[in-house]
Amino acid sequence: MLELRGITKRFGEMAALREVSFAVGRGEIVALLGPSGSGKSTLLNVVAGLEAADAGQVLWKGEDLAGTPPHQRGFGLMFQDFALFPHRNVAGNVGFGLEMAGMEAAQRKQRVMEMLALVGLAGFEARDVGQLSGGEQQRVALARALAPQPRLLMLDEPLGSLDRGLRERLLGELAEILKQSGQTSLYVTHDQEEAYAIADRMVLLNAGRVAQIGAPENLYRRPASAFVAEFLGLDNLFEGEVVAKDGGRVLRSALGEFTVDGGTELGKVRWLLRPDALRLDGRGAAKVGGTVSATHFRGNTTLLEVEAAGERVRLEVPGGAERPKVGEAVELSFDAAEAVQVFGREGADG
């Protein structure tokens, strides 16, 4: 459906996007993820036709959209602030795009009712939008965006203005609505938890470049670089060196020496110790002793910080379980093949 080929965009000397390429299939939800300034919103504007790329192509079903104005692309946009019309009621807001398209009144009314039912607001058509809660306004904005049946729906931080509890509750509903409607979508967020919950695939940007593309679980399980790992919250990143030994290769670090794949590049590296692969039950083949330096209660889980060989290692344990106390000696165990991932020189540069 949507294909981006080598999109590059500059603002003066600054390159906001650098040869960005990926595709979005029919009915697929792709999340554009990255820190502030990574190029997410700029890329969305290029796809929408609000900005022209300096190089590259935006294609829809193989057709180059260069020169096609935004209103003729058949794409929908939903923004963080919802941008509802205060002088129109719920039905008036949802039906606005249909009215502009010249849809006949009876057909327009039926479509509005269908959309309100889809987003869980049946019976709200006569309500004043100023009297709705933030979550209800978000649903009205979504119904309005979906009503014209856009070829592509682009959502720019659509939950960013909501409080955390409401955002988490609506996220699941939003994903279900988009899936139920079969809506092809491009979803911009800086929050990896949102991307995990809603996306079929994630495109992670860093300084205008694609850092990694893949299913959420794939990015989490096999980050392509130290940057990806750190951005996704996998912050047990340490310095080390890969050396040849006994016909193979090993990673030497303050936390120990671990066998790594024979194709791993020699030299200084950064490496990841996956927090979800660490255990306190002593069953892993590799073991590292340390002392609990801090605990952070997180409801269902507790984050432990352990000082080990001059490094700080983080892991989560079940919140209801009896957990070590600050100052207590612990032994972390893990299987290196599962827990250790080495990033080469490019990863070492971040």
Side-chain angles (χ1 to χ4, degrees), residues 181-193:
S181 64
Q183 178 64 61
T184 306
S185 304
L186 202 52
Y187 188 102
V188 170
T189 180
H190 65 277
D191 187 326
Q192 66 267 30
E193 298 296 333

Side-chain angles (χ1 to χ4, degrees), residues 15 26 30 103 127 175 185 188-190 232 295 309 322 332:
R26 182 189 299 274
V30 171
M103 182 180 286
R127 298 276 188 95
S185 304
V188 170
T189 180
H190 65 277
L232 296 180
T295 65
E322 186 173 337
L332 305 178

Side-chain angles (χ1 to χ4, degrees), residues 151-170:
R151 301 194 295 179
L152 174 73
L153 178 60
M154 296 176 289
L155 305 99
D156 192 0
E157 304 274 7
L159 304 179
S161 64
L162 303 178
D163 64 71
R164 182 179 180 84
L166 180 57
R167 185 168 69 245
E168 290 179 352
R169 188 167 74 251
L170 288 177

